[in-house]
Amino acid sequence: MPDAAYAQAGAGDNVASATIGVTWDLPWRHENDWGLWEGYLDLSLGRWRASRAGAWAGHREVTQVGITPVIRLRPAGWRHVFLEAGIGANWIFPIYQNGSRQFSTTFNFGDHIGAGWQFGPSGDQELTLRLQHFSNAGIRHPNPGENFIELRYARRF
């Protein structure tokens, strides 16, 4: 059973995203002078709505499915604050188009960095601000990539 579920909304250059997902805590933890290091596995399902210019007037919607291992740091002395980063595999279909930019593959990498705050009576809720980038890492061209600023709300079980 997952350890948390989340809803996330984001925006980029003429594109918006809505994502839901679940996470599983990884059995790895390490504490040092920087703080507590933890990990989790993120399974996501999202929809992107991209504007298309010129002959492609209107909008283009795609589905994104991803799996991402994430490392999280809870800095020493900051009980409710965390930083995180992850990189994972994503399938975006049909092939994404946004204006004159078009991905060349349905398989893409998704990497992110984020900062968040844990709250609630038992610390079971989180808000995270994330910067996320999707691209195929040069596997095939063109490879324009897409960037998002995202806000995530998660609830731990």
Side-chain angles (χ1 to χ4, degrees):
M1 181 165 168
D3 295 298
Y6 67 85
Q8 168 179 299
D13 187 17
N14 294 315
V15 61
S17 69
T19 306
I20 58 172
V22 292
T23 66
W24 289 267
D25 295 338
L26 296 176
W28 174 81
R29 296 179 80 158
H30 177 73
E31 194 159 2
N32 64 16
D33 292 341
W34 289 53
L36 177 63
W37 297 86
E38 304 171 300
Y40 67 88
L41 188 63
D42 183 326
L43 182 62
S44 61
L45 173 64
R47 289 288 286 173
W48 300 2
R49 185 178 178 125
S51 299
R52 292 188 275 174
W56 298 100
H59 290 87
R60 168 95 174 179
E61 291 191 10
V62 297
T63 299
Q64 169 265 323
V65 176
I67 186 163
T68 305
V70 178
I71 190 165
R72 180 178 278 185
L73 170 64
R74 296 181 183 277
W78 293 76
R79 188 171 146 200
H80 299 287
V81 174
F82 57 85
L83 305 170
E84 65 178 37
I87 184 166
N90 289 266
W91 291 266
I92 301 166
F93 51 92
I95 289 180
Y96 176 70
Q97 296 176 345
N98 185 351
S100 62
R101 295 184 341 219
Q102 178 175 329
F103 283 20
S104 59
T105 58
T106 55
F107 174 79
N108 289 272
F109 295 97
D111 52 81
H112 79 273
I113 57 171
W117 177 55
Q118 191 172 17
F119 63 97
S122 59
D124 59 351
Q125 299 176 67
E126 299 175 352
L127 278 178
T128 310
L129 183 62
R130 299 162 41 116
L131 300 175
Q132 184 149 19
H133 173 76
F134 292 91
S135 76
N136 71 21
I139 293 171
R140 191 167 169 198
H141 293 283
N143 183 34
E146 190 65 79
N147 299 308
F148 291 90
I149 296 175
E150 301 165 327
L151 184 62
R152 175 184 285 199
Y153 169 79
R155 178 78 185 226
R156 297 190 59 77
F157 305 123

